[in-house]
Amino acid sequence: MSGGADTTSSVTVIDHPLIEHKLTLLRMATTPTGEFRRLTREISLLMGYEVLRDLPLQPVDIQTPLEPMTARQVSGKKLCFISILRAGNGILDGMIDLVPSARIGHVGVYRDPASHLPIEYYFKVPDDVAERLTIVVDPMLATGHSAVAAITRLKRAGARGVKYVCLIAAPEGVAVLREAHPDVPIFTAAIDRALDENAYIRPGLGDAGDRLFGTK
């Protein structure tokens, strides 16, 4: 499928031509940090249109320069975007461009280099997260352990209606997240071949955090 979204069960691969084109540039080893950051932001904004397709609307009476009319606007409380630190902030920027009034939360999780299991070091979300649609963002869904840990923590804080957004997923990570949180829909721009022995996605794009922030 081209120019839309390929949906299988709870996993949606958003394969718009512009997303595929920009993702190709993002994958290239020669793409410099500044360009990598810009592309990540642009892809995230484009993905946001599909991720937020089902936002509820309500009628509102307005006055145009020519006459009054009844139009529609998003109803309910504002969204809440949750970034899994640190790489999630790359996607967060594009999502905020799309919904500037959204509330923001952060979950700090790093992967133990030996066990590949997540260790939480920071958690700060809006107090009323239970009343908001919650979008969790992180560029790479590799083993799935960080995503599961972050969503589990959010649910403990009361979050409901959670969605998960990444740029690239591994089949192993998708399986782990779906098993732990079958109610959470996954949105991604690509599902790659597999994880390697170091739990990196192949072919992937390398370490998203390092490439976003120029730390390697």
Side-chain angles (χ1 to χ4, degrees), residues 37 40-42 44-45 81 83 87-99 104 137 212-213:
R37 196 176 296 138
T40 300
R41 187 174 191 142
E42 291 176 353
S44 304
L45 189 149
F81 293 125
S83 170
N89 284 355
I91 295 184
L92 184 63
D93 289 342
M95 294 289 181
I96 293 173
D97 285 346
L98 192 61
V99 191
I104 308 298
V137 298
L212 277 165
F213 302 112

Side-chain angles (χ1 to χ4, degrees), residues 31-98:
T31 299
T33 298
E35 184 74 356
F36 189 93
R37 196 176 296 138
R38 181 183 66 79
L39 287 165
T40 300
R41 187 174 191 142
E42 291 176 353
I43 294 170
S44 304
L45 189 149
L46 291 168
M47 291 181 69
Y49 286 100
E50 187 65 34
V51 174
L52 303 175
R53 174 181 290 275
D54 59 353
L55 283 178
L57 296 170
Q58 65 182 16
V60 57
D61 294 328
I62 65 170
Q63 178 72 46
T64 78
L66 299 178
E67 65 181 39
M69 69 169 289
T70 300
R72 297 198 297 170
Q73 66 181 16
V74 175
S75 65
K77 286 207 170 186
K78 299 295 189 295
L79 301 170
C80 181
F81 293 125
I82 304 293
S83 170
I84 299 180
L85 298 174
R86 62 180 169 152
N89 284 355
I91 295 184
L92 184 63
D93 289 342
M95 294 289 181
I96 293 173
D97 285 346
L98 192 61

Side-chain angles (χ1 to χ4, degrees), residues 107-158:
V107 181
V109 178
Y110 72 90
R111 186 172 68 179
D112 182 273
S115 67
H116 304 309
L117 294 176
I119 298 174
E120 181 186 311
Y121 64 91
Y122 185 78
F123 185 83
K124 182 69 173 180
V125 301
D127 292 337
D128 60 353
V129 67
E131 302 172 32
R132 303 176 183 276
L133 173 62
T134 302
I135 312 294
V136 180
V137 298
D138 195 14
M140 313 297 281
L141 179 59
T143 65
H145 297 315
S146 293
V148 168
I151 293 170
T152 299
R153 186 75 165 83
L154 284 164
K155 286 184 174 180
R156 249 188 260 135

Side-chain angles (χ1 to χ4, degrees), residues 166-183:
C166 64
L167 300 182
I168 298 176
E172 298 92 330
V174 170
V176 167
L177 181 50
R178 290 179 70 183
E179 181 177 359
H181 296 290
D183 59 311

